[in-house]
Amino acid sequence: MSENNSGNEHTSAAEFLKGLWDENPVFVMVLGMCPALAVSNTAINSMAMGLATTFVLVFSSILVSSMRNLIPNQVRLTAYIVIIATMVTVIDFLLAAIVPDIHKTLGAFIALIVVNCIILGRQEAFAAKNNVKLSALDGLGMGLGFTFALLCIGSIREILGSGTLFNVPLFSDKFEPWVIMILPPGGFFTLGFLLLFFNWYKQRRKVKKV
Amino acid sequence: MDNLIWIFVSALLINNFTLTYFLGICSFLGVTSKLVTALRLGLANIFVMVITAIWAWLLNTYVLTYAPYLRLISFIIVIASTVQLVEMVVKKLSPELYRALGIFLPLITTNCAILALALFATNKGYGLVEGIVYALGAGGGIALALVLMASIREETKLMDIPKVIEGTALSLIIAGILSMAFMGFAGMFSAS
Amino acid sequence: MNEENVHTEDAPKEPSSGRLIATLGIAGFFSGILLVGAYLFTLPMIQANKARALEAAIYKVLPGSKSFETLVLKDGTLEVFKNAEASNQGAPPNSIFAGYDSTGALVGIAVPAEEPGFQDIIVGIYGYNPSAKTIIGFEVLDSKETPGLGDKIVKDMAFKTNFAALSVEPELVVVKKGQKKNPNEVEAITGATISSKAVVRLLQKSIGNWKPAIEKYIATAQKDKQ
């Protein structure tokens, strides 16, 4: 993790934007895919999962950074985990109350946001050392970057696997869906090929610079 | 008994934690390049999972009926402290086992598969015995996936691989193929 | 994680364990308040959602039904589950639902059941007409069957019409598509025979388990009326 902790130099906008592209948690750092990939078989599921994660990330960051001077070092990880678990439980209840259908399809994977390495990672690497405003922006940027990445995976899988996007049919009847894409192997393949593309892109840029 | 066999085989092969639920892929992609390491990590996983299953059942039966909102927090805290406790006990009682499991015990705390096991087992309403069988199946499934992956990666070490696909991308694509192979197990119980 | 973070200058060398416990206590206290608040705030909505989903499923598998009551199995006998407040919490395990039409006549009994399918457990609910000994409706509540193949048990309308009037006697039989001749036969879905068979096995097993209790209950209910 390349975290330049030089607080003042960063503008707020930069803190927000870095999560979207330069330090995109999924494509660049390959973090936090454990629980999320399982529900990335449609665009709508991916978006719900991404937004739920963003919610947890932003509010945990706010809480952690506002208490950063009160929490002794020895118990900081425990305290962070308690805070994160609380936020996850809250979003779990909220989703069950407001959008029961989505809550049913995501199932236990909402609760698994708790072990998403991105969240604990951002608390430790950023929120614990920066003020509330920057931490919230950092959380929002990272969360949206994560949502974006998950949405990419979900859209690819849904378009190829069922021929639809957000349940809207895209092709004529002649399109035979690649069912494998909405099955678990499709998740591995999609992320694998996306990473492959990112590697290729990065290498080409390096070659050009030289 | 039929039910227990179904739970075990379902968790081990048909709904393999790593290859169909993407649980524990962090360690699956990161750690496995040596067969022995993978085997030890798998064993540590089974070990912690069985203990977690017992804890999850205890909590779910005696505490969470009164305070369902504490489910996630209590699971997380119990898992973290169990792993630490197990580490200390194993260190004292069997230094050999401790050396074998090595650094993997603490690493497992952050493994999503352990929490997932506790959540799935309680969601499905498993009792104590069913929970332990489920843990054995799920842990065994993870160990199996780790060992398979490590063996394949040991082979790829000597191959001439294009630079862009090296590392995680390659592992993910191998995992996809493995996952496809495991799809063949589906239906093995209902084909009759 | 970050080595540099462990030794920041503002951290005192060794805070007393009292302070450690106090901090965690305060964090726990606040998260407790937050949790209980969110729980109490969302509970009525979640329960309403669950009740609505159950109600919708029951009315779907018992066409024509307008109201239902929950029956619980106790020592081999079905009893009406009356506790209105508790039924808000969702029906107790081992319960089935008797559906009545607008005149109060029994339409049938809705029974939830589950069975291992191709991929994972299939959870469903079916409507059973005890007097005609037929199944009058079936809905899948939860399944992870293969999209495009096994999930036709949820989406395939032709498969669903199998369960509009399906005689459970002598027993359910799976036949090829287009070869249904007797009222106790179910046409399998092409390309999803395993899932189709799993659904039939689910019905067969569950009917076998519940039939004696349901018949006993109907008999006593009729006696009470006379």
Side-chain angles (χ1 to χ4, degrees):
Chain A
M1 229 180 276
S2 63
E3 183 58 59
N4 311 317
N5 187 31
S6 45
N8 310 335
E9 290 168 30
H10 283 296
T11 62
S12 312
E15 292 304 351
F16 173 69
L17 286 174
K18 69 168 193 277
L20 289 179
W21 191 256
D22 287 344
E23 286 179 33
N24 185 296
V26 175
F27 292 144
V28 180
M29 304 201 275
V30 205
L31 277 179
M33 287 323 292
C34 290
L37 214 49
V39 289
S40 67
N41 53 355
T42 65
I44 193 106
N45 284 355
S46 312
M47 195 152 95
M49 188 70 184
L51 291 180
T53 310
T54 309
F55 171 91
V56 175
L57 199 45
V58 170
F59 283 91
S60 311
S61 286
I62 291 175
L63 279 175
V64 165
S65 66
S66 58
M67 302 203 293
R68 67 185 185 280
N69 294 327
L70 299 174
I71 301 175
N73 244 321
Q74 286 83 343
V75 292
R76 68 181 193 289
L77 287 181
T78 321
Y80 298 165
I81 288 177
V82 168
I83 290 171
I84 296 169
T86 308
M87 295 323 296
V88 173
T89 312
V90 169
I91 189 82
D92 193 21
F93 285 148
L94 284 177
L95 285 177
I98 300 164
V99 278
D101 290 343
I102 289 181
H103 183 264
K104 202 182 146 199
T105 40
L106 297 186
F109 289 97
I110 302 171
L112 284 174
I113 293 176
V114 130
V115 282
N116 190 325
C117 354
I118 297 174
I119 298 178
L120 192 60
R122 289 328 286 171
Q123 311 314 323
E124 174 81 6
F126 199 91
K129 303 175 202 157
N130 289 284
N131 65 29
V132 177
K133 189 184 150 205
L134 284 182
S135 302
L137 280 172
D138 172 76
L140 190 64
M142 283 288 164
L144 291 180
F146 179 70
T147 310
F148 167 72
L150 209 54
L151 193 60
C152 280
I153 299 171
S155 307
I156 294 174
R157 289 181 73 184
E158 193 184 336
I159 292 171
L160 295 177
S162 10
T164 59
L165 184 61
F166 288 105
N167 288 328
V168 181
L170 293 180
F171 306 107
S172 70
D173 288 345
K174 282 185 187 137
F175 178 76
E176 183 62 37
W178 310 6
V179 174
I180 194 81
M181 291 307 281
I182 37 177
L183 297 175
F188 285 114
F189 288 140
T190 311
L191 184 60
F193 281 111
L194 279 173
L195 287 178
L196 188 69
F197 170 75
F198 258 73
N199 285 348
W200 170 79
Y201 177 77
K202 263 191 286 184
Q203 253 189 13
R204 225 180 53 146
R205 243 187 2 182
K206 227 187 268 166
V207 171
K208 267 188 185 169
K209 269 184 197 159
V210 174
Chain B
M1 195 58 209
D2 266 8
N3 190 24
L4 289 184
I5 295 174
W6 153 256
I7 289 174
F8 180 75
V9 178
S10 168
L12 181 74
L13 300 173
I14 305 174
N15 294 300
N16 186 286
F17 263 40
T18 310
L19 295 174
T20 54
Y21 292 138
F22 306 94
L23 294 165
I25 50 173
C26 297
S27 51
F28 180 64
L29 299 174
V31 183
T32 47
S33 54
K34 265 198 197 142
L35 191 56
V36 188
T37 324
L39 200 62
R40 285 179 181 169
L41 182 62
L43 286 179
N45 238 316
I46 299 177
F47 193 56
V48 175
M49 274 190 157
V50 171
I51 296 169
T52 306
I54 298 170
W55 265 115
W57 178 79
L58 281 175
L59 278 173
N60 206 42
T61 327
Y62 296 108
V63 181
L64 297 178
T65 35
Y66 307 105
Y69 42 84
L70 285 183
R71 197 164 94 118
L72 199 50
I73 292 197
S74 59
F75 281 177
I76 273 271
I77 291 175
V78 159
I79 290 170
S81 31
T82 306
V83 172
Q84 233 151 49
L85 208 70
V86 167
E87 197 187 352
M88 287 194 284
V89 171
V90 170
K91 204 173 180 178
K92 272 262 157 64
L93 292 183
S94 162
E96 237 164 70
L97 184 65
Y98 180 76
R99 236 173 293 132
L101 300 180
I103 54 153
F104 297 122
L105 278 176
L107 216 141
I108 283 170
T109 327
T110 53
N111 191 329
C112 21
I114 309 287
L115 179 66
L117 176 97
L119 290 170
F120 288 174
T122 49
N123 274 0
K124 292 181 181 187
Y126 286 163
L128 182 60
V129 181
E130 289 163 317
I132 293 174
V133 171
Y134 187 55
L136 285 172
I142 290 178
L144 185 63
L146 281 169
V147 166
L148 284 174
M149 188 69 181
S151 328
I152 296 175
R153 292 240 325 231
E154 270 191 354
E155 295 294 316
T156 58
K157 251 193 245 159
L158 298 174
M159 291 176 189
D160 182 24
I161 297 163
K163 201 142 182 24
V164 276
I165 198 176
E166 248 180 4
T168 321
L170 179 66
S171 305
L172 278 167
I173 290 164
I174 294 175
I177 296 169
L178 274 179
S179 167
M180 242 156 85
F182 268 66
M183 277 172 61
F185 290 115
M188 62 188 287
F189 263 80
S190 29
S192 53
Chain C
M1 250 181 143
N2 266 8
E3 210 37 57
E4 78 232 277
N5 187 43
V6 181
H7 305 289
T8 39
E9 60 281 11
D10 57 328
K13 284 270 143 60
E14 240 347 270
S16 67
S17 48
R19 184 164 167 235
L20 298 185
I21 292 168
T23 323
L24 282 185
I26 292 168
F29 179 71
F30 278 113
S31 71
I33 290 179
L34 209 60
L35 280 180
V36 174
Y39 178 68
L40 292 179
F41 173 69
T42 53
L43 189 63
M45 289 190 258
I46 295 173
Q47 280 173 351
N49 287 338
K50 271 190 191 155
R52 205 162 39 228
L54 178 69
E55 214 179 275
I58 291 172
Y59 293 160
K60 239 187 211 165
V61 296
L62 296 173
S65 58
K66 292 279 176 288
S67 64
F68 71 92
E69 59 186 6
T70 308
L71 307 173
V72 190
L73 191 64
K74 258 187 202 157
D75 310 323
T77 321
L78 282 166
E79 287 170 14
V80 177
F81 185 71
K82 282 223 177 74
N83 194 344
E85 227 166 81
S87 67
N88 228 353
Q89 310 256 351
N94 239 346
S95 56
I96 59 179
F97 311 94
Y100 301 92
D101 64 10
S102 43
T103 63
L106 183 73
V107 178
I109 314 262
V111 187
E114 53 180 56
E115 176 74 17
F118 188 66
Q119 183 74 38
D120 208 342
I121 306 278
I122 298 173
V123 185
I125 185 168
Y126 62 90
Y128 175 63
N129 182 338
S131 51
K133 296 201 168 47
T134 49
I135 287 167
I136 50 179
F138 172 71
E139 283 290 322
V140 175
L141 297 179
D142 193 16
S143 88
K144 294 197 179 62
E145 303 299 284
T146 323
L149 298 170
D151 74 341
K152 284 185 186 154
I153 58 166
V154 187
K155 292 176 183 156
D156 193 318
M157 286 331 257
F159 182 66
K160 276 191 181 170
T161 54
N162 273 316
F163 306 104
L166 178 66
S167 175
V168 299
E169 288 188 332
E171 58 168 359
L172 302 178
V173 178
V174 187
V175 296
K176 262 193 203 167
K177 201 175 174 88
Q179 297 195 346
K180 179 174 166 127
K181 289 191 194 87
N182 301 312
N184 66 329
E185 290 174 343
V186 176
E187 287 184 6
I189 303 168
T190 317
T193 38
I194 292 177
S195 301
S196 314
K197 278 183 189 165
V199 168
V200 169
R201 203 167 42 232
L202 172 146
L203 295 172
Q204 188 78 56
K205 266 194 197 168
S206 170
I207 288 277
N209 289 341
W210 283 102
K211 217 167 134 196
I214 291 175
E215 272 165 7
K216 201 164 144 195
Y217 172 77
I218 300 285
T220 43
Q222 270 169 354
K223 234 182 251 167
D224 287 350
K225 262 186 199 162
Q226 290 161 3

